[in-house]
C-alpha cells in the first residue's frame, strides 16, 4: 500500500475536478499524500538538498556523535539490555530562525529563504484547496490562522537528519505523534525511507518519490474541519544505513488565533457542536502539546477545552 501521489499541475487544466476529488480523498482517507508537479523548481530543490546535506556534514555531524541518543544507546547496548529507548529520538534537528542561520555552507541562508518563500505559497494554495473541498469561503483557513496585523500565522521550517543507527530496533528516528499545527509540507530524502503512517491500524511506509512534497494536516485542521480531515499518527524508523534528510515546513495558526470547528461544518440537523472539538486559543493548545506530543490527541482536545 502506498499513499496517493497527486499531480498538482492538473489543478489548472481540464482535469481540475478529478484532481480536486483526488485531493479531497487524500485529506479525508489518508491525511498524508504526495504532490508532484507542484511548481517548486527542481533546480531549487537540488540546491536545498545540497545545502542541507553540506550543513549537516560541516556543522552538525560531529555534535550528533556526542548527543544524548548516541550516549544512551551505547550505554544500553553495553549494559546488554534489549529494552527500547522510549524517551529519545535518533535525529539531528534544527529550526530555521532569523538571526540564527547556520554559517555553513555560505549559500545556506539565501537558498533556504528562497525555498521557504516558495513553500509558503504552496501551503496557501493547498489551504485554498481545502477551503473549496470543505465548502468554506476561499481564504477561510488562512484567515482563521492569521489574527490581526501583529499576530500572523506562523510559517516554520525544520531541517532533520536521521543518521545511520547501529541498533535501529532499540530506538525510533522520531517517536509516533500527530502534528499540532495546520498544514505540513515535507521534502523527504530521495532514497532513504523511514517515514511511516498509521493507516487502518497498520503502519505503512511512505514511499520515496524524488522531488515530491508530502502534505499532511495537523490537529488544528482536524478541529477546524470538525473531524473531516483527521490528523494522522506518523513516526520515523531509525535505519542501519543511510542518513535520511527531511525538511519539514509548518503553516500554523498564530499563537493568539482562536481555533474552533467552522460553523458551516457543524451538523445542520442537530446544530450541535461536536463534543470532540472545543473552541480554544492555539497558544493554549501548544502549551499542552509541549508535554504530550507523543500521546493521543483526544485528551489534548479535552484539556484545552477546559482552559
Ligand atoms: O522528518 C520527517 O520526515 C517528519 C518529521 C515529523 O513528523 C515532524 O517534524 O513532525
Ligand atoms: Fe510530524
Amino acid at each position: 500500500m502506498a499513499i496517493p501521489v497527486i499531480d498538482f499541475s492538473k489543478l489548472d487544466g481540464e482535469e481540475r475536478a478529478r484532481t480536486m476529488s483526488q485531493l479531497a480523498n487524500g485529506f479525508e482517507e489518508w491525511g498524508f499524500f504526495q504532490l508532484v508537479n507542484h511548481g517548486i523548481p527542481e533546480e531549487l530543490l537540488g540546491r536545498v538538498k545540497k545545502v542541507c546535506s553540506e550543513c549537516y556534514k560541516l556543522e552538525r555531524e560531529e555534535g550528533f556523535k556526542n548527543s544524548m541518543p548516541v550516549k544512551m544507546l551505547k550505554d544500553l547496548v553495553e549494559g546488554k539490555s534489549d529494552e527500547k529507548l522510549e524517551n529519545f529520538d535518533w535525529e539531528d534537528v534544527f529550526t530555521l530562525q532569523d538571526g540564527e542561520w547556520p554559517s555553513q555552507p555560505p549559500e545556506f541562508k539565501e537558498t533556504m529563504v528562497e525555498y521557504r518563500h516558495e513553500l509558503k505559497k504552496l501551503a496557501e494554495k493547498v489551504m485554498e484547496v481545502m477551503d473549496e473541498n470543505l465548502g468554506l469561503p476561499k481564504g477561510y483557513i488562512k484567515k482563521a490562522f492569521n489574527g490581526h496585523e501583529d499576530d500572523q500565522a506562523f510559517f516554520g521550517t525544520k531541517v532533520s537528519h536521521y543518521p545511520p543507527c547501529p541498533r535501529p530496533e532499540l530506538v525510533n528516528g522520531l517517536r509516533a505523534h500527530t502534528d499540532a499545527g495546520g498544514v505540513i509540507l515535507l521534502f523527504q530524502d530521495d532514497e532513504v525511507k523511514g517515514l511511516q503512517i498509521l493507516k487502518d491500524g497498520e503502519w505503512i511506509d511512505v514511499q520515496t518519490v524524488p522531488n515530491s512534497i508530502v502534505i499532511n494536516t495537523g490537529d488544528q485542521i482536524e478541529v477546524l474541519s470538525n473531524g473531516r480531515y483527521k490528523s494522522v499518527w506518523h513516526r520515523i524508523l531509525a535505519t542501519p544505513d543511510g542518513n535520511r534528510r527531511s525538511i519539514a515546513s509548518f503553516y500554523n495558526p498564530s499563537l493568539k488565533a482562536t481555533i474552533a470547528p467552522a460553523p458551516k461544518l457543524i451538523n445542520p440537523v442537530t446544530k450541535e457542536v461536536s463534543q470532540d472539538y472545543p473552541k480554544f486559543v492555539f497558544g493554549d493548545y501548544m502549551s499542552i502539546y509541549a508535554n504530550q506530543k507523543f500521546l493521543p490527541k483526544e485528551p489534548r482536545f479535552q484539556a484545552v477545552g477546559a482552559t
Side-chain angles (χ1 to χ4, degrees), residues 158 160 162 174 177 179 186 195 234 236 244 246 248 250 293:
K158 216 175 85 171
S160 307
Y162 302 88
L174 178 59
H177 62 281
D179 291 335
L186 280 182
L195 174 59
H234 53 285
I236 311 293
R244 179 174 179 273
S246 181
F250 305 81
K293 171 167 175 172

Side-chain angles (χ1 to χ4, degrees), residues 52-267:
C52 289
S53 293
E54 284 180 4
C55 177
Y56 179 77
K57 277 267 163 229
L58 294 168
E59 284 199 352
R60 317 268 328 163
E61 188 169 33
E62 213 41 51
F64 182 76
K65 287 182 191 155
N66 300 314
S67 68
M68 272 313 268
V70 174
K71 282 199 198 100
M72 296 301 290
L73 185 66
K74 195 161 165 270
D75 289 352
L76 192 76
V77 171
E78 281 170 3
K80 311 245 178 301
S81 166
D82 283 335
E83 228 175 284
K84 193 166 176 168
L85 281 181
E86 295 296 352
N87 295 319
F88 289 93
D89 301 303
W90 192 266
E91 66 168 355
D92 173 75
V93 56
F94 63 98
T95 306
L96 303 187
Q97 254 152 20
D98 272 343
E100 288 177 41
W101 293 91
S103 54
Q104 297 288 342
E107 62 277 22
F108 185 92
K109 181 178 173 182
E110 63 178 82
T111 308
M112 296 309 283
V113 165
E114 189 181 341
Y115 175 73
R116 274 170 50 78
H117 180 75
E118 291 293 321
L119 264 265
K120 191 173 176 191
K121 283 195 294 186
L122 180 61
E124 290 179 346
K125 267 194 215 164
V126 167
M127 288 178 356
E128 286 183 3
V129 166
M130 289 198 278
D131 291 333
E132 188 174 332
N133 269 329
L134 288 168
L136 298 171
K138 186 171 175 175
Y140 184 94
I141 297 173
K142 183 175 171 183
K143 207 162 153 214
F145 283 10
N146 282 276
H148 302 288
E149 250 169 49
D150 58 337
D151 58 66
Q152 301 267 301
F154 174 76
F155 189 69
T157 299
K158 216 175 85 171
V159 178
S160 307
H161 285 85
Y162 302 88
C165 178
R167 297 290 298 274
E169 73 286 9
L170 293 181
V171 63
N172 285 297
L174 178 59
R175 286 162 283 167
H177 62 281
T178 66
D179 291 335
V183 184
I184 301 91
L185 305 94
L186 280 182
F187 181 29
Q188 292 201 91
D189 201 276
D190 284 346
E191 281 158 28
V192 186
K193 283 194 302 189
L195 174 59
Q196 294 190 319
I197 67 166
L198 192 63
K199 168 83 175 146
D200 304 326
E202 268 180 60
W203 287 103
I204 62 166
D205 286 335
V206 172
Q207 71 276 30
T208 55
V209 177
N211 293 336
S212 73
I213 301 287
V214 176
I215 305 288
N216 76 288
T217 49
D219 298 344
Q220 305 317 303
I221 294 292
E222 177 164 338
V223 173
L224 197 140
S225 71
N226 200 24
R228 288 261 299 272
Y229 293 173
K230 297 232 164 37
S231 63
V232 165
W233 283 94
H234 53 285
R235 67 182 182 190
I236 311 293
L237 297 183
T239 41
D241 37 42
N243 182 7
R244 179 174 179 273
R245 177 192 60 247
S246 181
I247 302 148
S249 298
F250 305 81
Y251 199 115
N252 286 355
S254 140
L255 289 175
K256 291 187 199 164
T258 298
I259 301 297
K264 255 192 134 170
L265 302 179
I266 293 164
N267 187 326

